[in-house]
Amino acid sequence: MKISQLSVFLENRPHSLLEPLQALAAAGIDLSGIALADSEQFGILRLVLRDWARARGLLQSGGWAVTVTDMVAIHVEDQPGGLVRILEVLAAAGADIEYMYGFFVRRSGRVAMLFRFARPELAIAALEAAGITMLGEDALY
């Protein structure tokens, strides 16, 4: 199960994070997940939201460079070692993680984490074989 994520490329200058978020808020688009990575020259704003196609169009029309990335949302037990179990399954399968971050959902003793894999199909197959729950868009929003 893959989840669409927007990656918005930002200049590394004051208020560059504020502006695309203001545009989304003004359009009534709600965020479900957000992460920010930066370098000296630019930042990458990663967004997960229900209406990602509309958000992409809005941001692109505002002049931002936007790409869509496939992510995998995984239910992680909210206890010590919960994430370790997931990482052990992925390591045993040789599934490389490019990056990951937490998501705003917390249900029934579990949290959701979003993962970007070099080979998502390999990771999904390993997780399914281990009985680890993945979430689709319907479960996240």
Side-chain angles (χ1 to χ4, degrees), residues 85 89 125-132:
R85 176 171 181 256
V89 167
L127 294 164
E128 286 175 341
I132 294 171

Side-chain angles (χ1 to χ4, degrees), residues 13 20 25 29 38 49 55 57 73 81 88 93 104 108 122 129 134:
R13 61 171 176 76
I29 298 175
D38 71 334
L49 41 117
E88 289 171 344
F104 298 164
S108 57
L122 173 69
M134 287 166 284

Side-chain angles (χ1 to χ4, degrees), residues 34-35 112 126 139:
I34 186 170

Side-chain angles (χ1 to χ4, degrees), residues 29-51:
I29 298 175
D30 194 21
L31 303 178
S32 295
I34 186 170
L36 181 65
D38 71 334
S39 70
E40 287 188 30
Q41 289 85 19
F42 64 92
I44 302 173
L45 174 62
R46 295 183 172 122
L47 303 171
V48 177
L49 41 117
R50 178 185 305 274
D51 199 355

Side-chain angles (χ1 to χ4, degrees), residues 6-123:
L6 300 183
S7 295
V8 184
F9 296 88
L10 305 174
E11 294 179 51
N12 195 353
R13 61 171 176 76
H15 312 297
S16 66
L17 174 62
L18 175 61
E19 295 160 351
L21 296 179
Q22 284 175 323
L24 293 173
I29 298 175
D30 194 21
L31 303 178
S32 295
I34 186 170
L36 181 65
D38 71 334
S39 70
E40 287 188 30
Q41 289 85 19
F42 64 92
I44 302 173
L45 174 62
R46 295 183 172 122
L47 303 171
V48 177
L49 41 117
R50 178 185 305 274
D51 199 355
W52 64 268
R54 183 171 153 238
R56 177 183 58 187
L58 176 80
L59 293 169
Q60 287 175 330
S61 70
W64 287 282
V66 181
T67 60
V68 179
T69 306
D70 287 333
M71 303 292 288
V72 178
I74 301 171
H75 249 168
V76 179
E77 295 296 326
D78 190 11
Q79 63 186 19
L83 179 58
V84 170
R85 176 171 181 256
I86 305 295
L87 297 177
E88 289 171 344
V89 167
L90 295 169
D96 295 329
I97 300 168
E98 293 183 355
Y99 59 86
M100 63 182 226
Y101 57 93
F103 197 74
F104 298 164
V105 175
R106 191 179 209 120
R107 294 185 184 135
S108 57
R110 297 180 185 185
V111 296
M113 294 198 68
L114 290 171
F115 288 78
R116 168 75 175 152
F117 296 107
R119 297 184 316 178
E121 289 76 19
L122 173 69

